Amino acid sequence: QQQVKQSPQSLIVQKGGISIINCAYENTAFDYFPWYQQFPGKGPALLIAIRPDVSEKKEGRFTISFNKSAKQFSLHIMDSQPGDSATYFCAASPQSNRKLIWGLGTSLAVNP
Amino acid sequence: DAGVTQSPTHLIKTRGQQVTLRCSPKSGHDTVSWYQQALGQGPQFIFQYYEEEERQRGNFPDRFSGHQFPNYSSELNVNALLLGDSALYLCASQAWGGTNEQFFGPGTRLTVL
């Protein structure tokens, strides 16, 4: 049973466009929602994270939107660049055990 | 400020052998978690160590064991290797009393032949 469902599996965006990746979760005990970026052969790098007490968080070109009632959160990458081409993972965890539960990942390709 | 470091980078073993992977956490972090990432998949939580004790464990068999040292570094041991153990093994560190931000190392690529 996939506790964190991520979509789409892959995404192609033109340079300068907006990339949108969505995640949905079931466990209402989750209270921490990070997004990670991973390049081939490298470990995941923390991009941005949000807690359910806010509906949106922005850091540079990256924005998380959070909908607590729908149990959904999404990553928006504005002005997408070829260097953003990577695999993006959403994750979730409850503060009680600090165990991250991951989505299956989205492979993003930004065409020049 | 060094981030999370892992060694070795790559490792090739044969079925039935045993392997030890090592991790040094980011400066200021005292908690280490280990993840297994199969090709094309998201990381799967193996276990977490804090104060030299296993605090959380994922759905992995007893062949997977670990240790944390007084300097917070950690080892992951896998016994009786199977072909299916081939994966990228990731170490993540965090501060136990802080936020849940986990920082990952570059991983160890294990290939079992």
Side-chain angles (χ1 to χ4, degrees), chain A residues 36 38 44 93 97-99, chain B residues 37 45 56 96 100 102 104:
Chain A
Y36 283 85
Q38 187 175 29
S93 77
N97 68 21
R98 303 169 180 80
K99 184 171 68 175
Chain B
Q37 186 177 25
F45 176 79
Q56 298 286 335
W96 181 264
N100 204 4
Q102 296 187 24
F104 283 79

Side-chain angles (χ1 to χ4, degrees), chain B residues 5-63:
Chain B
T5 60
Q6 292 186 242
S7 64
T9 305
H10 296 88
L11 206 52
I12 300 175
K13 293 285 186 178
T14 57
R15 281 180 297 174
Q17 284 190 311
Q18 177 265 344
V19 67
T20 297
L21 310 181
R22 296 176 176 82
C23 170
S24 291
K26 180 179 169 65
S27 178
H29 287 179
D30 54 10
T31 303
V32 172
S33 300
W34 286 92
Y35 293 81
Q36 180 195 66
Q37 186 177 25
L39 202 61
Q41 302 292 318
Q44 297 293 314
F45 176 79
I46 302 175
F47 43 55
Q48 180 183 78
Y49 277 84
Y50 170 65
E51 290 188 331
E52 303 178 50
E53 291 186 11
E54 184 182 292
R55 300 290 177 158
Q56 298 286 335
R57 189 177 183 92
N59 189 25
F60 279 80
D62 292 344
R63 299 187 297 109

Side-chain angles (χ1 to χ4, degrees), chain A residues 10-104:
Chain A
S10 62
L11 183 61
I12 300 174
V13 174
Q14 292 299 117
K15 179 182 176 182
I18 302 173
S19 304
I20 302 174
I21 305 171
N22 301 298
C23 282
Y25 64 97
E26 293 293 328
N27 190 342
T28 55
F30 290 154
D31 62 358
Y32 174 73
F33 304 90
W35 284 91
Y36 283 85
Q37 178 191 59
Q38 187 175 29
F39 293 104
K42 305 293 185 182
L46 179 64
L47 266 180
I48 187 173
I50 199 168
R51 295 196 180 276
D53 52 345
V54 297
S55 60
E56 185 175 282
K57 183 176 181 180
K58 183 176 181 180
E59 290 185 1
R61 296 186 295 111
F62 301 94
T63 300
I64 297 180
S65 297
F66 185 82
N67 186 329
K68 186 174 181 178
S69 61
K71 293 187 285 187
Q72 296 175 346
F73 59 109
S74 60
L75 175 69
H76 295 232
I77 305 174
M78 312 300 287
D79 188 26
S80 298
Q81 299 297 312
D84 296 331
S85 298
T87 300
Y88 292 80
F89 291 95
C90 63
S93 77
Q95 184 65 26
S96 60
N97 68 21
R98 303 169 180 80
K99 184 171 68 175
L100 286 174
I101 306 299
W102 297 69
L104 294 181

Side-chain angles (χ1 to χ4, degrees), chain B residues 83-97:
Chain B
L83 295 179
D85 295 332
S86 296
L88 181 68
Y89 287 85
L90 296 163
C91 169
S93 75
Q94 68 188 113
W96 181 264

